[in-house]
Amino acid sequence: MRLQTRLTLTSAALITAVSLAVGGASTLGAYQHEITAARSQLLADNQQITAAKGQELSTALLLSYQQDMTIGLIDSTKTLTVIKEGDIRLSKKPSVGMLKASAKQASLHVSADGQPYLLAGVALANNEWVVLQVSVADARARLMSSLTALILYTAIADVLAVLLVWILIRRDLWQIRRLIGAAKRIASGGTAEFPSGSGTTEVEQLADSLKSMVLQLQSNEVEMQRFLGDASHELRTPLTVIRGYLEMLGNPERANAEFTSRAVHKMSGEVARMQRLIEDLLLLAELGSAGRPLELGRVDLGQILRSEVDSLQDLQPARSVSLSMPEGSQAEVTADAGLLSQLFANLFSNIRRHTSSATTVEVLVSRARDGWQVTVDDGGPGLSPAAYERGVGHFERFDLSRSRENGGSGLGMSIMSGIVARHHGDLRLEPSPLGGLRTRIWLPAEQQ
């Protein structure tokens, strides 16, 4: 069922139910009030007639002229005599059981011609009864008239509600149809323009959100295509080298011991390079899909950083490296120790590869935002302004040129970004006061 039809039917059904419930209850309440008032009056007449000892018929006759009642007398021989006839004709003698039941509260009956009336009996001496009948046809007529008017007004309200709903949701439904058309064109591989609005209604907000989502998906698709191109190129290069050496090893003129040793060494290096690239790709895929569960525990950032700083100084003794930790407290976080070790191993590996061994490195650990921030400054060449502006995108090859020259896969920074994201942290790249790159890594003290 279409949304417009469903909204229209729902509005009409709601208005009908509320109108009939409220109006019907009010109308029936008014009718019952009239019946109750008539019964109370008959009870008062009964008491007045009973109190008039010896003058019961005279009193009943007097009351009948005041209230337009029908009066009859049932004598000791069970004969019915009509004393005065009002709006309701007394043509049927009521039973003694009916008279006894109506003596305390008037009972409601319907005459032979379909007219409603109230019956009340007044007991006299010698088993005689005075029969009182009062017509309530006017009350029933008013009830039917009110119910007819209620149904008519409800129908008019339904028509107005349908028109109002159609007018109010017409623009939103038009927007929804445009969104559906645009989504179908995009799903079939085409392009489409999403309707945009001021964002004042949920439909316009949905259109803006879908537009942002499509733009983000298109951007991610471009990045993925670029990433796959880079990865395939990185894999194709060592395969080409290995194939070339294998072809040369098949040539008897080249297959001497010295060449064979050099070829095997070169092919082993290319295989190791492919292995590192594949491992990085697998890790990136696990980080991106959250397929690898975190082995959480208490991790001391100071211990990991001291180990990496010592390794950097051992490998490059000429480099000046400093580590500043907060006094009197341990920088502990709840994290995956293996992933954090790889995070900082990649960070210091990038510094070792891409900066001179004579440049300075400063590491600062500080408390920040219910967590810990690690700031690493180096005095290397830094990055281009565009790289700072773009930042690190997850599952994106960050450096497109330096990896081949330095033996890396070029995915180290992307892996760092993925590890920080899995720990609900934040990684930022900024120009360093030392002239190179400043890397800020913030990690929460506790995982959500």
Side-chain angles (χ1 to χ4, degrees), residues 7-55:
L7 289 175
T8 301
L9 293 179
T10 301
S11 301
L14 182 61
I15 290 177
T16 300
V18 173
S19 299
L20 292 180
V22 176
S26 300
T27 302
L28 291 176
Y31 173 72
Q32 290 297 330
H33 178 74
E34 289 191 57
I35 298 298
T36 301
R39 279 176 170 160
S40 298
Q41 183 61 48
L42 278 177
L43 179 60
D45 295 340
N46 189 330
Q47 294 172 350
Q48 187 174 351
I49 295 171
T50 303
K53 300 297 184 179
Q55 301 294 326

Side-chain angles (χ1 to χ4, degrees), residues 323-335:
L323 173 61
S324 299
M325 297 286 299
E327 296 182 0
S329 63
Q330 283 187 321
E332 288 189 345
V333 295
T334 300

Side-chain angles (χ1 to χ4, degrees), residues 257-308:
E258 180 182 356
F259 177 77
T260 300
S261 176
R262 188 168 64 253
V264 170
H265 177 74
K266 181 65 176 177
M267 287 189 293
S268 297
E270 294 298 327
V271 169
R273 177 180 170 187
M274 281 196 302
Q275 184 177 1
R276 288 193 300 270
L277 177 60
I278 292 173
E279 290 174 352
D280 288 345
L281 291 174
L282 291 175
L283 179 58
L284 272 177
E286 290 178 353
L287 293 172
S289 63
R292 172 177 174 176
L294 296 180
E295 299 178 0
L296 297 177
R298 298 303 294 174
V299 180
D300 186 358
L301 292 178
Q303 182 179 354
I304 296 177
L305 292 171
R306 289 189 192 95
S307 176
E308 294 298 332

Side-chain angles (χ1 to χ4, degrees), residues 48 56-67 69 71:
Q48 187 174 351
E56 290 92 341
L57 289 178
S58 300
T59 303
L61 187 60
L62 177 62
L63 292 174
S64 69
Y65 284 104
Q66 295 175 354
Q67 303 173 27
M69 289 190 298
I71 300 177

Side-chain angles (χ1 to χ4, degrees), residues 82-330:
V82 178
I83 298 176
K84 177 184 176 296
E85 194 170 78
D87 293 339
I88 297 298
R89 183 180 179 184
L90 185 57
S91 59
K92 181 180 178 181
K93 182 180 72 173
S95 65
V96 175
M98 292 174 57
L99 293 173
K100 289 181 178 180
S102 63
K104 296 180 179 180
Q105 181 178 355
S107 56
L108 183 63
H109 301 274
V110 179
S111 65
D113 57 354
Q115 296 298 316
Y117 67 90
L118 290 175
L119 170 68
V122 182
L124 303 178
N126 302 322
N127 293 324
E128 295 182 339
W129 289 85
V130 175
V131 180
L132 305 178
Q133 288 187 176
V134 176
S135 173
V136 290
D138 292 342
R140 193 179 71 169
R142 284 189 289 272
L143 172 65
M144 300 307 297
S145 176
S146 298
L147 291 177
T148 302
L150 175 62
I151 294 174
L152 177 61
Y153 293 149
T154 300
I156 295 174
D158 286 339
V159 173
L160 294 177
V162 168
L163 292 176
L164 185 61
V165 168
W166 184 81
I167 293 173
L168 292 178
I169 69 173
R170 180 180 58 178
R171 184 171 182 273
D172 288 339
L173 292 176
W174 175 69
Q175 290 275 55
I176 291 176
R177 284 192 288 269
R178 289 188 62 191
L179 290 175
I180 294 173
K184 288 182 177 179
R185 287 191 294 273
I186 292 175
S188 62
T191 59
E193 287 290 334
F194 277 95
S196 59
S198 60
T200 56
T201 67
E202 289 81 358
V203 175
E204 291 173 338
Q205 293 174 6
L206 174 62
D208 292 338
S209 299
L210 288 176
K211 184 177 181 180
S212 300
M213 182 187 70
V214 170
L215 293 177
Q216 183 63 40
L217 289 176
Q218 292 173 345
S219 176
N220 291 342
E221 183 179 3
V222 172
E223 292 182 1
M224 181 62 70
Q225 292 296 331
R226 184 177 63 187
F227 169 80
L228 292 176
D230 293 337
S232 62
H233 179 74
E234 290 290 340
L235 290 172
R236 189 184 301 114
T237 300
L239 288 174
T240 302
V241 174
I242 293 173
R243 180 179 179 181
Y245 274 102
L246 287 175
E247 291 177 351
M248 287 188 288
L249 287 175
N251 186 354
E253 298 179 357
R254 301 291 301 275
N256 55 63
E258 180 182 356
F259 177 77
T260 300
S261 176
R262 188 168 64 253
V264 170
H265 177 74
K266 181 65 176 177
M267 287 189 293
S268 297
E270 294 298 327
V271 169
R273 177 180 170 187
M274 281 196 302
Q275 184 177 1
R276 288 193 300 270
L277 177 60
I278 292 173
E279 290 174 352
D280 288 345
L281 291 174
L282 291 175
L283 179 58
L284 272 177
E286 290 178 353
L287 293 172
S289 63
R292 172 177 174 176
L294 296 180
E295 299 178 0
L296 297 177
R298 298 303 294 174
V299 180
D300 186 358
L301 292 178
Q303 182 179 354
I304 296 177
L305 292 171
R306 289 189 192 95
S307 176
E308 294 298 332
V309 167
D310 292 342
S311 297
L312 183 60
Q313 288 182 326
D314 291 340
L315 294 173
Q316 297 177 336
R319 186 188 295 272
S320 173
V321 184
S322 64
L323 173 61
S324 299
M325 297 286 299
E327 296 182 0
S329 63
Q330 283 187 321

Side-chain angles (χ1 to χ4, degrees), residues 330-344:
Q330 283 187 321
E332 288 189 345
V333 295
T334 300
D336 188 313
L339 288 180
L340 284 197
S341 296
Q342 184 166 0
L343 166 66
F344 292 108

Side-chain angles (χ1 to χ4, degrees), residues 305 308-309 312 321 343-353 361 363 376:
L305 292 171
E308 294 298 332
V309 167
L312 183 60
V321 184
L343 166 66
F344 292 108
N346 283 6
L347 175 58
F348 282 89
S349 177
N350 286 340
I351 293 175
R352 189 174 64 252
R353 287 177 178 175
V361 175
V363 183
V376 181

